[in-house]
Every structure is written in C-alpha cells, then in structure tokens.
Amino acid sequence: MTRSFKVNVRDLTKYGKLGDQIMALDGVRLGYISGEVSDRDKVGEELWPKAIANAREQAEKTLKPMGMKIDSVFAVSSIDFGEIRKEFLSGGERVVVTGMNIPAPPDQPSEYRLEMIVIESTAHVIYLISPAK
C-alpha cells in the first residue's frame, strides 16, 4: 500500500530530525521526500534588491583595478542574458529532465536524503562603463 502525505514544518531546524524519526518507524518505506517553502515568492522578492546591490558591488570591484567606472545601467534581468538570447533565437521551449522522481526498486530499503531547500535571487546586469577620472 502506498500513501502520500504532506507535513507542514514551521521550524526548519526540526526538518531533518522529523525525517530521521519517520525513517525509524518499522514497516515504513519512503520513496520521495521533497521540501519547499510556503512563502518562497515573498522571500525571493525580498532577496531581489540584495541581488541587484550585490551585482553592482561585484561590478565595481571588477572595474576598479582596470581604472573603469559604471556610468549607467543598460539592462537588468533575473534570467541570464545568454539564456534569453538562446531562447529567442531557438524559438523553442527548453526541457530539463532529471531523475529525482524515479522510485527505488521495491526490494531495496528506503534511503533518506534530505532535499535541499534553496531560495535564491540572481540579478544579471549590463552596465555601461567608462574610464575613471
């Protein structure tokens, strides 16, 4: 018998311990454990200004030793400009195939791997630059 269930964990520090306790139950076989954050979009929005500030900081650190400075911003995107160009030129949808949902064979014991929860915000910025004076 297979049964799916969902658990809301409000304290992420207890996420790993809960998984260990479930694995310790006799007769329970886990096929897949996933982790997610309910307010991922909100957290991402909070990270966006930090990502833009970090992009500016990294650009300034890169330009300073070359005797250059930032004049203005040409473009900002959460998607890498190379990816935008590839998507535009190919006109197709990119498909990513992973093996993370492949069930384990039934004769093997459960293997518990805590899925990482990653929330990130990446800012790709094209700056117009000039020599520093």
Side-chain angles (χ1 to χ4, degrees):
M1 180 171 135
T2 301
R3 180 174 178 203
S4 297
F5 64 94
K6 181 177 182 178
V7 176
N8 291 325
V9 179
R10 303 208 189 289
D11 182 353
L12 288 180
T13 61
K14 296 179 182 175
Y15 181 51
K17 183 178 179 182
L18 175 63
D20 291 340
Q21 290 171 340
I22 292 171
M23 287 297 296
L25 296 173
D26 287 332
V28 174
R29 178 171 154 56
L30 298 176
Y32 179 70
I33 298 173
S34 68
E36 58 185 61
V37 177
S38 61
D39 58 351
R40 178 182 296 272
D41 291 339
K42 179 183 175 208
V43 174
E45 287 174 16
E46 292 171 359
L47 290 176
W48 181 246
K50 293 176 183 177
I52 292 174
N54 181 266
R56 175 86 182 211
E57 182 181 315
Q58 293 302 314
E60 288 172 345
K61 284 180 182 179
T62 301
L63 293 173
K64 187 174 182 178
M66 296 187 302
M68 303 293 283
K69 66 178 178 70
I70 295 172
D71 282 334
S72 61
V73 174
F74 177 75
V76 178
S77 175
S78 60
I79 302 168
D80 183 281
F81 294 109
E83 290 296 315
I84 293 171
R85 182 176 179 272
K86 274 196 284 187
E87 186 68 25
F88 179 74
L89 293 176
S90 71
E93 185 174 316
R94 185 173 66 160
V95 177
V96 178
V97 178
T98 66
M100 66 187 274
N101 290 324
I102 299 172
D107 58 339
Q108 293 181 357
S110 294
E111 185 176 319
Y112 174 69
R113 291 185 180 156
L114 183 63
E115 183 180 70
M116 283 180 57
I117 299 174
V118 178
I119 301 173
E120 63 181 21
S121 187
T122 304
H124 300 275
V125 183
I126 297 176
Y127 294 104
L128 299 177
I129 61 174
S130 65
K133 295 183 181 190

